[in-house]
């Protein structure tokens, strides 16, 4: 009997995704995905807001190969809190084909950061989504930011579009490269030319150190699977305006999806809708993630 029982309304990742029609360029990186547990080996955090189904590194790397990707960036999921053991284990099992983004607390020591770095961690995540975490004071986050900056790490930020005005100055003040998850979760029923998304584009325009993941159409879409047509104008705009500062990821195993679980093959087929030339696709899937996560391999 497992120690953890997933939430009653939890939707588990698809065990049989379709084969994508779009062939990703050689060396492509899935730059946003997670591992969950397995809970019996790597317990979920007591302070978590959800209990997921297990999603192991073996299952993640099998999906990577099936979809045609070469590497992963594994982002610490909030259900593990700041206990990065499942993440570290996955990184160590990857033969150098995965890098990580961890969650750390302000008290972390330089020695502990070095252990994470040696395992392949290259960033920390600051999460402002209230249903996922209890808010952390900004001075604590700044303390973390200044501790990780000398390692050359970056900061991943996750927030809801409507909360950007409140956080704008803080985000602009961060001293490292900053990567925004899922385009700052815009309300895609609003115009791509409207004030909410305009503020997000302004944040990127005014701050050349800020990047964006153009991921998660399945999370943002109101029109729904598999076309996610309402998300296309938003992601396409970001890719075309900031081609050298965008990343893409599957978001496998798709935590907290409530109305459907996406077909990972169809998510890959979404890429040519938002990056419409081979040049943009290579920047999005290869050049940009390699520059951020494997700079030592850049020629
Ligand atoms: C995502 C999105 C979500 C969850 C997490 O760490 C997490 O728990 O990131 C979400 O619920 O929106 O990027 O996976």
């Amino acid at each position: 009997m497992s120690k953890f029982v997933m939430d009653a309304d939890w939707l588990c990742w698809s065990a049989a995704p379709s084969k994508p029609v779009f062939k990703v360029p050689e060396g492509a990186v899935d730059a946003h995905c997670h591992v969950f547990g397995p809970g019996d080996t790597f317990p979920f955090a007591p302070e978590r807001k959800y209990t997921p189904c297990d999603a192991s590194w073996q299952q993640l790397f099998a999906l990577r190969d099936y979809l045609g990707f070469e590497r992963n960036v594994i982002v610490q999921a909030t259900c593990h809190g700041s206990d990065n053991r499942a993440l570290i284990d996955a990184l160590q099992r990857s033969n150098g084909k995965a890098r990580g983004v961890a969650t750390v607390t302000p008290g972390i020591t330089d020695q502990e950061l070095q252990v994470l770095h040696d395992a392949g961690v290259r960033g920390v995540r600051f999460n402002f989504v209230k249903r996922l975490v209890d808010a952390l004071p900004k001075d604590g986050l700044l303390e973390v930011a200044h501790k990780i900056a000398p390692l050359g790490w970056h900061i991943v930020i996750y927030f809801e579009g409507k909360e950007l005005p409140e956080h704008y100055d803080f985000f602009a003040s961060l001293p490292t490269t900053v990567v925004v998850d899922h385009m700052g979760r815009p309300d895609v029923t609003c115009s791509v030319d409207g004030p909410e998304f305009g503020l997000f584009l302004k944040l990127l325009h005014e701050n050349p150190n800020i990047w964006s993941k153009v991921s998660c159409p399945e999370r943002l879409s109101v029109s729904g699977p598999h076309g996610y047509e309402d998300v296309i104008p938003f992601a396409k705009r970001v890719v075309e305006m900031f081609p050298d500062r965008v990343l893409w990821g599957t978001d496998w195993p798709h935590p907290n999806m409530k109305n459907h679980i996406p077909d990972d093959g169809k998510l890959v087929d979404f890429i040519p809708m938002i990056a419409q030339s081979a040049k943009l696709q290579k920047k999005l899937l290869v050049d940009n993630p390699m520059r951020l996560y494997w700079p030592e391999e850049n020629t």
Side-chain angles (χ1 to χ4, degrees):
M1 178 76 180
S2 174
K3 269 190 290 209
F4 294 95
V5 178
M6 68 178 180
D7 294 341
D9 63 346
W10 192 263
L11 296 181
C12 205
W13 47 276
S14 163
S18 64
K19 196 82 180 165
V21 176
F22 174 61
K23 215 174 156 326
V24 298
E26 200 181 321
V29 181
D30 173 355
H32 186 93
C33 49
H34 313 282
V35 287
F36 295 154
D40 285 348
T41 314
F42 301 110
F44 299 116
E47 72 275 19
R48 69 190 179 283
K49 307 288 187 202
Y50 61 83
T51 305
C53 62
D54 287 335
S56 68
W57 61 267
Q58 291 97 326
Q59 290 157 332
L60 175 64
F61 298 160
L63 180 75
R64 173 199 66 199
D65 296 345
Y66 178 78
L67 297 177
F69 284 78
E70 196 156 307
R71 300 168 199 244
N72 297 102
V73 178
I74 308 175
V75 177
Q76 171 78 350
T78 58
C79 57
H80 280 292
S82 58
D83 175 351
N84 294 291
R85 281 178 296 169
L87 169 66
I88 290 173
D89 182 62
L91 296 177
Q92 289 173 339
R93 308 266 191 184
S94 75
N95 292 320
K97 288 182 164 197
R99 294 284 191 244
V101 175
T103 297
V104 305
T105 50
I108 193 156
T109 64
D110 289 344
Q111 207 176 3
E112 288 165 331
L113 284 174
Q114 192 58 49
V115 170
L116 291 172
H117 190 87
D118 292 344
V121 171
R122 296 293 180 267
V124 291
R125 194 182 197 201
F126 294 172
N127 201 320
F128 300 89
V129 178
K130 295 187 178 88
R131 70 183 158 78
L132 291 173
V133 287
D134 298 322
L136 272 178
K138 287 192 170 136
D139 52 353
L141 296 177
L142 274 180
E143 200 179 323
V144 171
H146 288 289
K147 273 189 183 166
I148 59 116
L151 290 162
W153 291 12
H154 62 276
I155 297 167
V156 172
I157 51 177
Y158 190 26
F159 59 92
E160 308 268 0
K162 59 182 181 309
E163 282 166 2
L164 179 54
E166 174 191 338
H167 298 306
Y168 191 99
D169 292 342
F170 178 69
F171 294 159
S173 77
L174 290 170
T176 64
T177 294
V178 173
V179 181
V180 178
D181 275 342
H182 321 327
M183 299 182 284
R185 292 194 64 114
D187 175 351
V188 299
T189 65
C190 297
S191 167
V192 69
D193 296 312
E196 185 193 282
F197 202 58
L199 187 66
F200 175 69
L201 295 175
K202 180 171 177 262
L203 179 73
L204 265 68
H205 179 71
E206 286 184 347
N207 298 278
N209 62 318
I210 303 189
W211 298 34
S212 178
K213 290 178 198 163
V214 288
S215 41
C216 274
E218 72 284 8
R219 227 174 252 297
L220 305 177
S221 181
V222 176
S223 61
H226 289 292
Y228 307 121
E229 286 89 358
D230 49 353
V231 184
I232 294 172
F234 292 82
K236 185 168 172 289
R237 177 72 58 92
V238 180
V239 168
E240 289 175 359
M241 281 182 74
F242 308 103
D244 298 311
R245 290 190 262 151
V246 283
L247 302 171
W248 183 90
T250 55
D251 195 28
W252 187 90
H254 312 293
N256 301 306
M257 289 298 294
K258 295 297 174 215
N259 49 14
H260 75 289
I261 272 290
D263 172 336
D264 296 284
K266 297 272 195 272
L267 285 180
V268 173
D269 286 336
F270 189 74
I271 297 170
M273 306 293 144
I274 62 171
Q276 297 191 341
S277 69
K279 192 174 169 193
L280 287 174
Q281 291 159 7
K282 184 164 175 287
K283 282 175 185 271
L284 176 65
L285 298 170
V286 185
D287 300 345
N288 299 343
M290 287 303 289
R291 207 163 73 247
L292 194 57
Y293 290 98
W294 284 271
E296 67 282 6
E297 291 190 31
N298 265 352
T299 49

